[in-house]
Amino acid sequence: MNQLILKTPLSEAQEDYLKQILLLSSGGTGSLEPTLAVSTQDLADEMQIKPASVTGMLKKLSEHGLVEHEAYRGVRLTATGYKVALEVLRHHRLIEAYLHQALGYGWEEVHAEAERLEHHISEAFEARIAEWLGHPSHDPHGDPIPSAQLELPQDAPSQRLSSLEDGEYGLVMRVATQDQDALNLLARLGIRPGAKVEMLMLGHSVEGTRVRVGEQRYLLPTNLAQMVWVSPLGDEYAG
Amino acid sequence: MNQLILKTPLSEAQEDYLKQILLLSSGGTGSLEPTLAVSTQDLADEMQIKPASVTGMLKKLSEHGLVEHEAYRGVRLTATGYKVALEVLRHHRLIEAYLHQALGYGWEEVHAEAERLEHHISEAFEARIAEWLGHPSHDPHGDPIPSAQLELPQDAPSQRLSSLEDGEYGLVMRVATQDQDALNLLARLGIRPGAKVEMLMLGHSVEGTRVRVGEQRYLLPTNLAQMVWVSPLGDEYAG
DNA sequence: CAACATTTTTAGGTTAGCCTAAACTTAGGT
DNA sequence: ACCTAAGTTTAGGCTAACCTAAAAATGTTG
Ligand SMILES: [Mn+2]
Ligand SMILES: [Mn+2]
Ligand SMILES: [Mn+2]
Ligand SMILES: [Mn+2]
């Protein structure tokens, strides 16, 4: 149905560039509205590629009409590039959800497998796993999955765990990192989408953030506490 | 467990070469014992690549110790190359089985998807779908699936449908082609692994082979009748 | 057994996607 | 406004995997 028709089918590298431009341009907030232009350096860092190589690829993507690249001032997705990026992201997140729910992968091990497979599945495969999953709106990390029409789900408002008030409760909505170590650690602590956390009294300090998860109390380093997005819960849900 | 450790991870192209050398060297019988040496030309035809390019790749595979290539006299797999080829074939056939049984693909549509995915799944993925399937010994076409230890299942003796005697019954064991048109046609006629066929009286003629499948009688072109492998059934199973 | 058609290899070329090193542009601090 | 560090682009190179065209080896057949 929605498969984009492009003159040239895109390579794995090109698809990854477009996806990363989208993720970086929406600044880690998960909103996926491409606002800012993305710098060569940021792409290079994120993709573990040298800046000179990034420039070369941006030139090619620009010739194909997928990005607009103004020399020395960064790159933005065109309308077409944005759609391709959403399509790749849909593949990635559907695959993550399928690996987790159908094949029993841990939510912290799905990313690497999805990173490769996203480029190699057919539209038929996409359709069948979406069907099997019941057309989910979010992946196992709480990231939104673009629909088959590439529309994004409306997300409930959320805030970083690190910004909860002392004594406040939050429902974990998203864990916004692909860092393997961070995912492993948070998985071990039980901090995953759907979990309930309480910000302890005097919870904020220079060493990090003190929270309760189930029976356990933890001191989360600030960088970890910023990756976790929660939806505040009124005290009536405090149990 | 069994994943082969090679100095260099192989490319998609290299894996496909090794797999094709294995399939061609066992001469379409499905036995997968690499007997004959494979010619540059046959590989070029099968893979839709020019002979000059094949020579180049064989030289590289030879340097990596995966094949033995004697100039002008064809190529054979080494022990290592044989194991890699079996590993790729295991991926291919497990994926075909999974697409068919878990995701509802028709048995005639699984090949193209498996051809790509075979190179991009992890050993973890292989293990999980094998588990889900209950460690199957054959794929939806009836082709044998190497075990995790790369051992091949012992196949019941079978013969080409075209060689059944007049009036004899056969159980379809294998449909030995990847040709899309042939698969579509045979699927439509109900000639698939597990089906029962009867060779009609006076069934052999120059136009092909006359058989009964269920209530229907067909005149199968000879080339199709040779792709279908059957295990002869005694008359007691004739119902 | 020689001549020729077929098969295979060699030589040289292309494209994609990466690299390093050097040159250039921009922006920030004084 | 200038100087410099940081960021970016340009120039030149590399490897993988294909290609075409021409040369060489093989084997078939009259
Ligand atoms: Mn990827
Ligand atoms: Mn995710
Ligand atoms: Mn393949
Ligand atoms: Mn098969």
Side-chain angles (χ1 to χ4, degrees):
Chain A
M1 8 218 121
N2 194 289
Q3 39 165 339
L4 305 169
I5 312 291
L6 302 168
K7 309 109 212 180
T8 326
L10 298 175
S11 67
E12 176 161 351
Q14 290 174 322
E15 289 184 351
D16 275 337
Y17 271 92
L18 294 173
K19 188 184 66 175
Q20 276 309 323
I21 293 168
L22 174 60
L23 292 174
L24 289 172
S25 69
S26 45
T29 64
S31 75
L32 295 185
E33 312 298 327
T35 50
L36 344 122
V38 175
S39 74
T40 302
Q41 187 79 262
D42 286 354
L43 275 170
D45 290 345
E46 194 68 25
M47 305 182 72
Q48 320 243 65
I49 285 170
K50 293 292 172 294
S53 305
V54 172
T55 300
M57 180 60 95
L58 293 183
K59 200 179 151 207
K60 200 173 312 170
L61 291 172
S62 182
E63 281 160 10
H64 286 285
L66 296 162
V67 304
E68 273 169 43
H69 182 218
E70 208 180 336
Y72 292 97
R73 359 213 94 219
V75 68
R76 289 171 186 282
L77 295 172
T78 63
T80 308
Y82 178 62
K83 282 193 206 136
V84 173
L86 281 180
E87 178 78 23
V88 177
L89 205 57
R90 172 169 165 81
H91 282 194
H92 183 98
R93 292 176 176 175
L94 276 177
I95 291 167
E96 286 190 343
Y98 188 81
L99 294 175
H100 183 57
Q101 292 177 229
L103 290 175
Y105 277 64
W107 73 299
E108 73 286 0
E109 18 171 33
V110 295
H111 184 80
E113 191 92 40
E115 191 60 43
R116 277 172 291 111
L117 290 181
E118 62 188 356
H119 311 288
H120 303 290
I121 66 171
S122 67
E123 293 302 298
F125 189 98
E126 174 197 312
R128 307 237 187 191
I129 64 175
E131 177 78 24
W132 189 92
L133 290 163
H135 304 282
S137 62
H138 292 80
D139 78 9
H141 310 103
D143 295 313
I145 302 178
S147 73
Q149 294 70 237
L150 304 183
E151 272 144 24
L152 289 161
Q154 192 65 37
D155 273 343
S158 65
Q159 61 189 87
R160 295 180 197 271
L161 172 54
S162 51
S163 75
L164 277 184
E165 306 280 337
D166 286 359
E168 205 176 1
Y169 287 85
L171 179 65
V172 176
M173 303 301 289
R174 251 183 102 218
V175 176
T177 179
Q178 286 133 248
D179 180 73
Q180 193 61 57
D181 292 337
L183 286 172
N184 287 338
L185 179 54
L186 290 169
R188 196 143 45 77
L189 304 186
I191 299 180
R192 71 190 72 212
K196 201 176 68 175
V197 296
E198 177 188 356
M199 175 67 66
L200 296 175
M201 289 300 164
L202 304 174
H204 299 273
S205 79
V206 283
E207 294 109 52
T209 297
R210 267 177 283 271
V211 297
R212 185 174 60 76
V213 182
E215 299 302 302
Q216 303 297 318
R217 283 146 202 271
Y218 302 120
L219 174 63
L220 279 187
T222 306
N223 68 320
L224 279 186
Q226 286 182 342
M227 297 170 178
V228 179
W229 291 72
V230 300
S231 181
L233 290 173
D235 285 345
E236 64 273 25
Y237 301 99
Chain B
M1 7 219 122
N2 195 288
Q3 39 163 340
L4 305 169
I5 313 291
L6 303 168
K7 309 112 212 177
T8 325
L10 298 175
S11 67
E12 175 161 353
Q14 291 174 321
E15 290 185 350
D16 276 337
Y17 271 92
L18 295 173
K19 188 183 66 173
Q20 275 311 322
I21 293 168
L22 174 60
L23 292 174
L24 289 172
S25 70
S26 46
T29 65
S31 76
L32 295 185
E33 314 297 327
T35 50
L36 342 123
V38 175
S39 74
T40 301
Q41 187 78 259
D42 286 354
L43 275 170
D45 290 346
E46 195 67 27
M47 304 183 72
Q48 320 243 64
I49 284 169
K50 292 291 170 296
S53 304
V54 172
T55 300
M57 180 60 94
L58 293 183
K59 200 179 151 207
K60 201 174 310 171
L61 291 172
S62 183
E63 283 160 8
H64 287 283
L66 297 161
V67 304
E68 274 169 40
H69 182 217
E70 207 180 336
Y72 292 97
R73 7 211 90 227
V75 68
R76 289 171 186 283
L77 295 171
T78 62
T80 308
Y82 178 62
K83 282 194 205 134
V84 173
L86 282 179
E87 178 77 25
V88 177
L89 205 57
R90 172 168 165 81
H91 282 194
H92 183 99
R93 291 176 176 175
L94 276 177
I95 291 166
E96 287 189 343
Y98 188 81
L99 294 174
H100 183 56
Q101 291 178 230
L103 290 175
Y105 277 64
W107 72 300
E108 73 286 0
E109 17 171 32
V110 295
H111 184 79
E113 190 93 40
E115 191 60 45
R116 277 172 290 111
L117 290 181
E118 62 189 358
H119 311 288
H120 303 291
I121 66 171
S122 67
E123 294 302 298
F125 189 97
E126 174 198 312
R128 307 237 188 192
I129 64 175
E131 177 77 24
W132 189 92
L133 290 162
H135 304 280
S137 61
H138 292 81
D139 77 9
H141 310 103
D143 294 314
I145 302 178
S147 72
Q149 293 71 236
L150 304 183
E151 273 143 24
L152 289 160
Q154 192 65 37
D155 273 343
S158 65
Q159 61 190 84
R160 296 181 197 270
L161 172 54
S162 50
S163 75
L164 277 185
E165 307 281 337
D166 287 358
E168 206 177 1
Y169 288 82
L171 179 66
V172 176
M173 303 302 289
R174 249 183 102 218
V175 176
T177 179
Q178 287 133 246
D179 180 74
Q180 193 61 56
D181 292 337
L183 286 171
N184 287 338
L185 179 53
L186 290 170
R188 196 141 46 79
L189 304 185
I191 298 179
R192 71 190 73 210
K196 200 175 70 174
V197 297
E198 177 187 356
M199 174 68 66
L200 296 175
M201 289 298 164
L202 305 173
H204 299 275
S205 80
V206 283
E207 295 109 53
T209 297
R210 266 177 284 272
V211 297
R212 185 173 61 75
V213 183
E215 299 301 303
Q216 304 296 318
R217 284 146 202 270
Y218 303 119
L219 174 63
L220 277 187
T222 307
N223 68 322
L224 279 185
Q226 287 183 342
M227 295 170 177
V228 179
W229 291 72
V230 299
S231 181
L233 290 172
D235 287 344
E236 64 272 25
Y237 301 100

